[in-house]
Amino acid sequence: MDSSIATITAWTLVEECPIPEDAQALLVDGEYAVAAYRTFRDSAIFTNKRLIIRDAQGLTGKKIEVYSLPYTSINMWSSENAGGFFDVNSELELWTRAGHIKINLNKKIDIRKLDRLIAECVLK
């Protein structure tokens, strides 16, 4: 598996956050941000067309690498909600042309909201 895909799979979305101001510069005509989530240092932005992951790098975090996963590349997905007291994360798994991506979500995040968003975008 490509090392950049492995990096994505290691991320945990911690909480929903405001859409970053600089995200607007990444969007194309007809694309709009739907929701954003904070990771420990970065953010993931779900738009109506793709998932954008901003990866701050270095000590200062000024260097930003951006990953973009168009929903059209998703072949299958699964979502699992956090079950109980000891189950602290929900999981979103995406099988894409780029490989298998697993994203952990803090149990405070509404996994069904993301499941519906992906369904609405993939199943058009």
Side-chain angles (χ1 to χ4, degrees), residues 7-27:
T7 301
I8 293 172
T9 63
W11 290 348
T12 297
L13 305 185
V14 177
E15 64 184 353
E16 195 162 357
C17 66
I19 295 163
E21 291 180 23
D22 62 348
Q24 195 63 33
L26 300 171
L27 306 181

Side-chain angles (χ1 to χ4, degrees), residues 63-79:
K63 181 178 178 182
I64 306 285
E65 184 170 4
V66 177
Y67 296 90
S68 181
L69 177 69
Y71 298 134
T72 56
S73 72
I74 297 173
N75 299 317
M76 183 176 91
W77 74 95
S78 71
S79 61

Side-chain angles (χ1 to χ4, degrees), residues 3-114:
S3 63
S4 61
I5 298 298
T7 301
I8 293 172
T9 63
W11 290 348
T12 297
L13 305 185
V14 177
E15 64 184 353
E16 195 162 357
C17 66
I19 295 163
E21 291 180 23
D22 62 348
Q24 195 63 33
L26 300 171
L27 306 181
V28 299
D29 288 341
E31 182 178 25
Y32 55 89
V34 176
Y37 296 87
R38 184 177 65 78
T39 66
F40 294 108
R41 183 173 174 174
D42 309 309
S43 62
I45 304 154
F46 289 81
T47 77
N48 62 319
K49 296 184 181 282
R50 61 186 161 152
L51 167 59
I52 301 169
I53 298 180
R54 300 168 69 246
D55 181 12
Q57 300 177 352
L59 292 174
T60 62
K62 290 184 179 182
K63 181 178 178 182
I64 306 285
E65 184 170 4
V66 177
Y67 296 90
S68 181
L69 177 69
Y71 298 134
T72 56
S73 72
I74 297 173
N75 299 317
M76 183 176 91
W77 74 95
S78 71
S79 61
E80 178 182 291
N81 63 316
F85 183 73
F86 294 107
D87 197 2
V88 295
N89 286 332
S90 299
E91 295 176 352
L92 181 63
E93 292 188 72
L94 308 171
W95 285 265
T96 74
R97 292 188 297 248
H100 179 226
I101 299 170
K102 184 175 179 180
I103 301 172
N104 293 312
L105 304 131
N106 185 301
K107 69 179 177 181
K108 296 183 287 186
I109 295 175
D110 183 0
I111 184 70
R112 298 300 166 225
K113 176 181 176 179
L114 294 178

